[in-house]
Amino acid sequence: MVYIGIDLGGTNIAVGAVDEEGRILAECSVKTLAQRPFTEIVKDMAGCVIRVMKQGGFTEKDVHSVGIGIPGVADERGVVLNCANLGWFNEPLAAEMGKYFSIPVFIGNDANVAALAESYAGVSKGCHSSVMITLGTGVGGGIVIDGKAWNGAHGRGGEMGHMTLVPDGVPCTCGNNGCVERYCSATALIRMAKQECQAYPDSLILKKAGGDPERVNAKLVIDAAKEGDAPALRVFNSFVYYLALTINNITAFLDPDVIVLGGGVSHAGKFLLDSVRALLPRYQIFKALPIPRLEIASLGNEAGIIGAAMLGK
Amino acid sequence: MVYIGIDLGGTNIAVGAVDEEGRILAECSVKTLAQRPFTEIVKDMAGCVIRVMKQGGFTEKDVHSVGIGIPGVADERGVVLNCANLGWFNEPLAAEMGKYFSIPVFIGNDANVAALAESYAGVSKGCHSSVMITLGTGVGGGIVIDGKAWNGAHGRGGEMGHMTLVPDGVPCTCGNNGCVERYCSATALIRMAKQECQAYPDSLILKKAGGDPERVNAKLVIDAAKEGDAPALRVFNSFVYYLALTINNITAFLDPDVIVLGGGVSHAGKFLLDSVRALLPRYQIFKALPIPRLEIASLGNEAGIIGAAMLGK
């Protein structure tokens, strides 16, 4: 049997046929053109599924299921409740796909899907439980328990970006204050760097940005920290501190086998990993017990297809 | 089949035979006398098991398993790693019990066991997932997923009392700062009340304590709040705010069907429940989705036996 995965993004629709082990056997992609009506986008998604089946020489009987990773929330009936990037609210995605083929359709949040991909074919492969934290413009995440993506009882699961980290802290886009996302995202790193540059205008951060605070980005802050720039290191260490607290909170609550860092900021790699790992033991109770392994995500763009495919497994 | 549960506390050992539905069929108890050697305490535990079997007319063949709830942490081999109340460190509890009968033995943390009891016979009965928060001298908790207590991959699971709620906040007995336990326990309620009484010595709290701050306890603070005393209400509202943040964090991360409040402070009942429930919607993203049901634990002292019995189910 093969598993088809659809990575539905605001820019591209990427579709692939995946084997039991999470290896991609055939794939294709088209532009999303997100302004189009719901039914037209779904038609293109279904078209890609059929193209991938032809490419791989599969008939409907060979395909176990079609999984779709969306940047939003769906319910168990396959209705997309909220997908702001595409302007979808209460759209019957599974039912609409059913007009093109009669293969079971499963829908999951893209962060959950990335976590699932890592647990089938990436750095958490073979683990009973894992949590992925995606450190991007915002902070998302996914939980995998016993080989299944855990979406929660009401589709709210894995939203660690909106756990409160600092009561009455920095206002968040969600309407609350002090969310994890305001301290552990690329956006947070940039905000803290800009503040630091105001106080220390000779920082390497500002030099790397050509003197323009508006050009400061996460990579540039981390690069300056790697080179030992004191203001950049203060920003980076603050980021690492908040991330370590978040990881400790996940450990104290769920204690998974592995915690995986993904998203743009995770490209800082070993520099980030070593810094966070060094802080973790300090925050653990039961010092004698082992703690979850902390790793950087190993799958790149393919995670979206692989994880979506594994939704039906 | 019957399931035998042992509630091992610092003061009493309570043992019961429980049916599939979590109903207690026979029970007995003895004093723990915690200063005694490990082997003597285990001998008494085993003696109670045999007494309960006789009482109920069961032979070893009728008993599916013996479960033990301990105020500490055990590993999968049945070794108690850490049970500070009894001074047990690396004690082979399951193996020692095996000297008295050949029934499989399962060991779980007492807070996890209480959560399990509620999910088999209490307020979260029939739910796929639930989280219990015990608001006592400290804050403990338990997670139940698919009818099983979730201990985490390394025995660290369910320790929500030591999630960080306020970075660099009030120092905790665990060595960290700002743990949930420092804001959501009876101890926290008393600490905040004493501070408030210093500023407002005419508070009803102090009157109820006969003018002696050392006699302030959680029930008395809540009683004063119920009667509308302004300082007591400020303390209570602050407690409720921190508890609502903690519940929101659990919802954003795991999103269980039900969240159950247990422990001494939960005896405040509807007054506590209504106050917390009123705050919860404010902290949720995806306003349109339902949130976990919040309830007060419904089983009393029997939870320890029932939950322990269900460990083997």
Side-chain angles (χ1 to χ4, degrees):
Chain A
M1 294 299 268
V2 295
Y3 301 80
I4 290 181
I6 305 178
D7 179 4
L8 174 63
T11 310
N12 288 303
I13 297 164
V15 180
V18 170
D19 71 7
E20 299 270 350
E21 299 290 312
R23 282 174 297 225
I24 296 180
L25 306 171
E27 64 180 302
C28 77
S29 74
V30 293
K31 293 278 171 217
T32 310
L33 306 173
Q35 305 307 318
R36 295 184 295 162
F38 166 71
T39 49
E40 284 190 28
I41 295 176
V42 177
K43 193 179 175 185
D44 276 4
M45 291 164 70
C48 281
V49 169
I50 289 159
R51 206 161 5 128
V52 156
M53 281 166 60
K54 272 195 191 144
Q55 224 173 291
F58 310 120
T59 67
E60 281 200 19
K61 274 184 291 184
D62 303 314
V63 180
H64 177 274
S65 52
V66 171
I68 311 172
I70 62 165
V73 179
D75 68 12
E76 286 183 358
R77 299 165 302 149
V79 174
V80 176
L81 299 175
N82 185 325
C83 183
N85 286 4
L86 298 171
W88 291 2
F89 300 95
N90 295 308
E91 294 287 5
L93 178 53
E96 188 65 24
M97 290 291 279
K99 293 182 181 169
Y100 299 93
F101 44 72
S102 52
I103 306 170
V105 172
F106 297 87
I107 307 175
N109 173 267
D110 54 5
N112 283 340
V113 154
L116 199 56
E118 292 293 335
S119 87
Y120 272 99
V123 77
S124 48
K125 186 173 176 172
C127 292
H128 180 267
S129 58
S130 62
V131 168
M132 183 158 170
I133 313 175
T134 51
L135 309 168
T137 307
V139 172
I143 302 171
V144 178
I145 295 178
D146 205 9
K148 295 275 178 198
W150 175 266
N151 298 310
H154 318 88
R156 295 176 170 282
E159 286 294 341
M160 36 280 236
H162 296 284
M163 294 170 86
T164 299
L165 184 58
V166 180
D168 304 313
V170 177
C172 187
T173 51
C174 75
N176 285 341
N177 285 72
C179 292
V180 164
E181 185 161 295
R182 298 277 69 80
Y183 299 87
C184 299
S185 62
T187 311
L189 206 50
I190 294 165
R191 184 193 74 236
M192 294 190 281
K194 283 181 178 173
Q195 285 167 355
E196 197 70 21
C197 287
Q198 279 196 326
Y200 301 92
D202 57 344
S203 163
L204 186 56
I205 301 171
L206 215 48
K207 282 202 192 80
K208 282 181 180 284
D212 179 3
E214 293 313 308
R215 288 179 54 202
V216 170
N217 62 39
K219 181 176 184 307
L220 191 153
V221 179
I222 291 168
D223 285 346
K226 280 181 182 168
E227 291 176 40
D229 179 60
L233 273 171
R234 277 194 295 273
V235 169
F236 180 73
N237 289 339
S238 179
F239 178 89
V240 164
Y241 165 68
Y242 287 117
L243 183 55
L245 287 184
T246 300
I247 292 170
N248 175 54
N249 286 350
I250 292 170
T251 301
F253 184 72
L254 193 72
D255 181 23
D257 283 298
V258 182
I259 295 175
V260 181
L261 302 179
V265 180
S266 76
H267 297 145
K270 190 169 150 41
F271 183 62
L272 176 67
L273 203 53
D274 289 348
S275 307
V276 180
R277 279 182 180 159
L279 274 191
L280 291 182
R282 182 192 305 181
Y283 299 113
Q284 307 297 332
I285 48 167
F286 309 132
K287 303 286 183 199
L289 298 181
I291 60 174
R293 194 154 55 88
L294 183 72
E295 303 289 354
I296 301 278
S298 64
L299 302 170
N301 290 333
E302 293 188 336
I305 289 176
I306 298 170
M310 294 297 113
L311 281 172
K313 215 185 168 192
Chain B
M1 294 297 268
V2 295
Y3 302 80
I4 290 182
I6 305 179
D7 179 4
L8 173 63
T11 310
N12 288 304
I13 298 165
V15 179
V18 170
D19 71 8
E20 299 269 349
E21 299 291 311
R23 282 173 298 225
I24 297 180
L25 307 171
E27 65 180 301
C28 77
S29 74
V30 294
K31 292 278 171 218
T32 309
L33 307 173
Q35 305 307 317
R36 295 184 297 161
F38 167 71
T39 49
E40 283 189 30
I41 295 175
V42 177
K43 193 177 174 185
D44 275 4
M45 291 163 71
C48 281
V49 169
I50 290 159
R51 205 162 5 131
V52 157
M53 282 166 59
K54 272 198 191 141
Q55 222 172 295
F58 310 120
T59 67
E60 281 200 20
K61 275 184 290 182
D62 302 315
V63 181
H64 177 275
S65 52
V66 171
I68 310 172
I70 61 166
V73 179
D75 68 10
E76 288 182 357
R77 298 166 301 150
V79 174
V80 176
L81 300 175
N82 186 325
C83 183
N85 286 4
L86 298 172
W88 291 2
F89 299 95
N90 295 308
E91 295 287 5
L93 178 54
E96 187 67 22
M97 291 290 279
K99 292 181 181 168
Y100 300 94
F101 44 72
S102 51
I103 306 169
V105 172
F106 297 86
I107 307 175
N109 173 266
D110 53 5
N112 284 340
V113 154
L116 199 56
E118 292 293 335
S119 87
Y120 273 98
V123 78
S124 48
K125 187 171 176 172
C127 292
H128 180 267
S129 57
S130 61
V131 169
M132 182 158 171
I133 312 175
T134 51
L135 309 167
T137 308
V139 173
I143 302 171
V144 179
I145 295 179
D146 204 10
K148 295 274 178 199
W150 175 265
N151 298 311
H154 317 89
R156 295 175 170 283
E159 285 294 341
M160 35 280 235
H162 296 282
M163 295 170 85
T164 299
L165 184 57
V166 180
D168 304 314
V170 177
C172 187
T173 50
C174 75
N176 285 341
N177 286 73
C179 293
V180 164
E181 185 162 295
R182 299 277 69 79
Y183 299 87
C184 299
S185 60
T187 312
L189 205 50
I190 294 165
R191 185 194 72 238
M192 295 189 281
K194 283 182 178 173
Q195 285 166 355
E196 197 70 22
C197 286
Q198 280 194 326
Y200 302 92
D202 58 344
S203 163
L204 186 56
I205 301 172
L206 215 48
K207 282 202 193 81
K208 283 181 180 284
D212 179 1
E214 293 313 308
R215 288 179 54 202
V216 170
N217 62 40
K219 182 177 183 307
L220 190 153
V221 179
I222 290 168
D223 284 346
K226 280 181 182 169
E227 291 176 40
D229 178 60
L233 273 170
R234 277 194 294 273
V235 169
F236 180 73
N237 289 339
S238 178
F239 178 90
V240 164
Y241 165 69
Y242 287 117
L243 183 56
L245 287 183
T246 300
I247 291 170
N248 175 53
N249 286 349
I250 291 170
T251 301
F253 184 73
L254 193 72
D255 181 23
D257 282 297
V258 182
I259 295 175
V260 181
L261 302 179
V265 181
S266 76
H267 296 145
K270 191 171 150 40
F271 182 62
L272 176 66
L273 203 56
D274 288 348
S275 307
V276 180
R277 279 181 179 160
L279 274 191
L280 291 182
R282 182 191 305 181
Y283 299 113
Q284 307 297 330
I285 49 167
F286 309 132
K287 304 285 184 200
L289 298 181
I291 62 174
R293 193 154 56 87
L294 183 72
E295 302 290 352
I296 302 277
S298 65
L299 302 171
N301 290 333
E302 293 189 337
I305 289 176
I306 297 170
M310 296 296 115
L311 281 172
K313 210 177 174 202

